[in-house]
Amino acid sequence: MRILIAEDDAPLATVIAQAFKSEEHVTKVAPNGDDALHLMQKEIFDLLILDLNLPVVSGSEVLQKVRSEERKIPILSENRDIPILILTATDEVEERVACLDAGADDYLTKPFSFSELSARIRAVLRRKNHPAQAFLKVADLELDYMQRTVHRGGRVIELTPKEFGLLEYFMRNPGQHITRNMIIEHVWKLSPDTMTNVVDVYVNYLRKKIDEGAKVKLIRTVRGVGYKFGIDEDDEGTDE
C-alpha cells in the first residue's frame, strides 16, 4: 500500500513509517495538515493515518476537507474516499464521535502498539473493501498486482521484479511529473540522490518492453524534471 502519515511528532512518525516499510509498504510523512493536503493533490494514497493535533491545518480540518463534497480543495479524486484512521492523544467520547461522523473510518488513542495499529488498518480495509488497487489500467496497458502480470493490447509483458515495481509506481501516478529522486525513494526505497543514474537504465528497460512497437507511447521524458506516464498530447516531454 501507499500510506500517508500525517503526524507532527517526528520520532513517532519515523517509527510508524519504518514499521510499514518493513512490511513492504510505501510511506510518506507530512508534519502538518497543509503538507498532507498538498501531497494528496499530487499522489494517490491507499490509506491516511491522521493525527488530530497537527500544526498549520489541524487533523480535524484535513478530515473535513478530504471528505467534503464541495471539492474546494483540489486533491486527487482517488483520494476522496481514502480510508482514514485517526490518531488522538485524548480518549474523549465526543471527539471520537465527531471524527467518525465527519468521515473517519477508525481511531486509535496514543500511546499504542504498532501491532494494534496494523490490525486496525487491516480491519478498516476489510470493512471498506478498499485494499490497495490490485488492478491498474492506463490506456491499453493493464497491470494485475495480485497475479503479478502485465498485458498491453492482449500481449503478455514479462518484467523483472524491479521493472514491475517501477511500472506500478508509474501507473499509480498517471499524468504526474515524476522525478528520479521520487522513483529512488518509492521504488528502490533509498534516500533521494542515491544512484539516480540507475533509474534511467531501468526506465529504458521498461520503455523497450512497454512502448516499443506501440502506436501510443506511455513513458515520456520531461526535460529538466524526469518522467511522465500516460497519454497527454499537450505534454512538453519527449519520447526519448
Side-chain angles (χ1 to χ4, degrees):
M1 294 189 298
R2 291 180 49 75
I3 302 172
L4 176 58
I5 304 166
E7 171 61 67
D8 66 324
D9 184 332
L12 176 59
T14 298
V15 168
I16 295 173
Q18 290 178 342
F20 278 118
K21 285 180 180 178
S22 71
E23 296 185 349
E24 300 301 317
H25 300 301
V26 175
T27 61
K28 265 290 181 67
V29 174
N32 60 67
D34 187 58
D35 284 354
L37 291 169
H38 184 65
L39 282 170
M40 295 180 77
Q41 294 175 26
K42 302 189 301 179
E43 302 181 40
I44 298 172
F45 294 96
D46 300 301
L47 174 73
L48 171 60
I49 298 175
L50 180 63
D51 179 31
L52 286 184
N53 190 31
L54 290 175
V56 187
V57 177
S58 71
S60 298
E61 290 180 84
V62 171
L63 175 63
Q64 294 171 357
K65 292 177 186 298
V66 171
R67 291 295 192 241
S68 173
E69 296 182 357
E70 296 181 6
R71 301 294 188 264
K72 291 182 179 179
I73 301 298
I75 67 172
L76 297 177
S77 60
E78 292 88 347
N79 290 326
R80 290 289 178 185
D81 194 40
I82 187 174
I84 299 176
L85 185 141
I86 297 292
L87 299 181
T88 174
T90 66
D91 196 25
E92 297 180 4
V93 174
E94 294 81 3
E95 182 181 68
R96 299 200 304 268
V97 169
C99 289
L100 294 171
D101 284 345
D105 296 285
D106 201 355
Y107 67 89
L108 190 57
T109 304
K110 300 177 182 179
F112 55 84
S113 67
F114 178 77
S115 59
E116 182 180 5
L117 173 63
S118 184
R120 284 182 177 272
I121 287 172
R122 291 194 297 271
V124 165
L125 295 176
R126 286 197 300 270
R127 289 198 302 269
K128 290 184 73 72
N129 190 28
H130 190 107
Q133 289 175 279
F135 185 82
L136 302 172
K137 183 174 182 179
V138 176
D140 60 345
L141 179 66
E142 300 175 349
L143 179 148
D144 188 323
Y145 181 79
M146 299 304 293
Q147 299 298 321
R148 308 294 288 184
T149 57
V150 177
H151 295 80
R152 183 165 192 189
R155 174 173 61 94
V156 177
I157 299 174
E158 299 290 343
L159 299 177
T160 66
K162 192 58 68 180
E163 290 168 351
F164 188 94
L166 177 58
L167 178 61
E168 182 192 357
Y169 183 65
F170 275 142
M171 294 184 73
R172 288 188 184 277
N173 296 278
Q176 305 299 312
H177 284 167
I178 299 175
T179 67
R180 293 168 178 82
N181 280 339
M182 290 167 66
I183 293 173
I184 284 291
E185 181 179 359
H186 291 286
V187 179
W188 270 262
K189 298 180 182 177
L190 297 174
S191 299
D193 299 316
T194 303
M195 303 189 318
T196 52
N197 59 311
V198 174
V199 171
D200 295 328
V201 173
Y202 272 85
V203 169
N204 285 333
Y205 289 159
L206 190 61
R207 180 180 275 133
K208 289 179 180 179
K209 294 183 177 183
I210 298 299
D211 282 340
E212 198 167 85
K215 183 178 180 180
V216 177
K217 310 300 183 185
L218 297 177
I219 303 174
R220 282 151 303 133
T221 301
V222 181
R223 294 188 182 91
V225 178
Y227 300 98
K228 197 171 185 181
F229 187 87
I231 301 173
D232 185 355
E233 296 178 354
D234 295 326
D235 184 67
E236 296 178 356
T238 71
D239 293 330
E240 298 173 0

